[in-house]
Amino acid sequence: SNNPYNILYDSLSAQHPDVRHAAITALSDLDFSQTSRKLSDMLLTEKEDRVKEQIIDALIRFRKGADFRGLSHILFNEKNQALRIRSAYAMGEIQDRDAVVHLIRVLADPEIKVKAEACHALGHFKTKQSIDALLEVSEKEKERYVRTAALYSLKTIRDRKSLLPLFDQYTVETEPVYRELLKQVIRYLINESR
């Protein structure tokens, strides 16, 4: 039929990227969140970076990961680092716990900025898995940038159970800047839990 939704939905399959781009913009602006699954699946095959970015932004707007197949495909397989970072960011913003397993898995990635964004995204989830993963990054990661992202996410989560492991880290930490950050976060968590 000729209703606007059907026309826009059909336009997602158009050959020309400008048509796909315009259709995603309109579907997003009109809040057609029922297209989340279709958009997620498009991330598996889409070639144009600007269309991929727009799909990710629409999923953030709809607050739907649609099983995270599309976003995790970008997170693990995309060549464009900015899109990988955006995908990790989206997983945090959508705040669906199904994202946690993907975010933890990407912590083994060689890309520092991707790992740091995954740590930041994990800060949205007060789950045992996310807290344990962030504590492990804070303790074992080589890059201070990534460790700091993990530490600030633990601060955001504000779980008292992370106090003791962080204190244990503080007692053996040799890097002075990170040791000072640990001290600040430990103090913050103690004050918050009073």
Side-chain angles (χ1 to χ4, degrees):
S1 79
N2 279 349
N3 79 45
Y5 174 76
N6 288 349
I7 294 166
L8 291 169
Y9 189 87
D10 292 344
S11 300
L12 293 174
S13 307
Q15 280 304 160
H16 203 286
D18 289 350
V19 178
R20 295 195 302 276
H21 193 270
I24 296 162
T25 301
L27 287 163
S28 181
D29 290 347
L30 295 167
D31 241 353
F32 282 126
S33 64
Q34 64 267 42
T35 56
S36 300
R37 172 71 44 153
K38 167 78 173 166
L39 292 173
S40 174
D41 289 345
M42 281 176 71
L43 286 174
L44 303 174
T45 54
E46 180 60 52
K47 298 283 181 269
E48 295 285 326
D49 282 1
R50 69 192 179 102
V51 177
K52 291 179 200 172
E53 184 177 355
Q54 202 186 12
I55 291 170
I56 294 170
D57 289 348
L59 292 172
I60 293 171
R61 179 171 178 163
F62 297 151
R63 290 262 184 268
K64 286 192 177 353
D67 82 12
F68 293 101
R69 264 188 29 201
L71 287 171
S72 67
H73 175 77
I74 298 294
L75 187 61
F76 293 106
N77 305 302
E78 177 59 46
K79 288 178 185 64
N80 177 333
Q81 185 179 319
L83 285 171
R84 297 183 65 211
I85 292 167
R86 191 84 184 141
S87 178
Y89 170 80
M91 288 182 177
E93 288 297 306
I94 291 166
Q95 294 186 25
D96 175 337
R97 286 184 175 193
D98 290 346
V100 171
V101 61
H102 304 294
L103 291 167
I104 291 173
R105 212 178 106 215
V106 86
L107 293 175
D109 197 83
E111 274 304 333
I112 293 167
K113 288 183 176 166
V114 173
K115 282 197 286 198
E117 191 57 56
C119 287
H120 175 73
L122 284 167
H124 289 284
F125 303 99
K126 191 171 184 170
T127 67
K128 185 175 181 345
Q129 302 98 299
S130 57
I131 292 166
D132 288 349
L134 290 165
L135 284 167
E136 187 172 342
V137 170
S138 173
E139 185 183 1
K140 296 184 174 144
E141 171 65 40
K142 304 268 184 286
E143 292 291 338
R144 189 201 303 155
Y145 180 73
V146 181
R147 295 180 81 192
T148 304
L151 189 59
Y152 281 120
S153 280
L154 288 165
K155 181 180 177 182
T156 303
I157 292 170
R158 295 206 310 256
D159 185 1
R160 289 183 63 183
K161 288 191 279 299
S162 57
L163 255 173
L164 196 57
L166 288 174
F167 187 75
D168 289 343
Q169 283 180 37
Y170 175 76
T171 60
V172 295
E173 182 59 51
T174 55
E175 208 269 325
V177 175
Y178 196 72
R179 191 161 197 266
E180 185 55 37
L181 290 174
L182 275 167
K183 184 167 90 179
Q184 289 169 13
V185 171
I186 289 165
R187 278 193 171 152
Y188 171 82
L189 290 172
I190 290 169
N191 287 330
E192 285 295 301
S193 62
R194 280 189 177 143

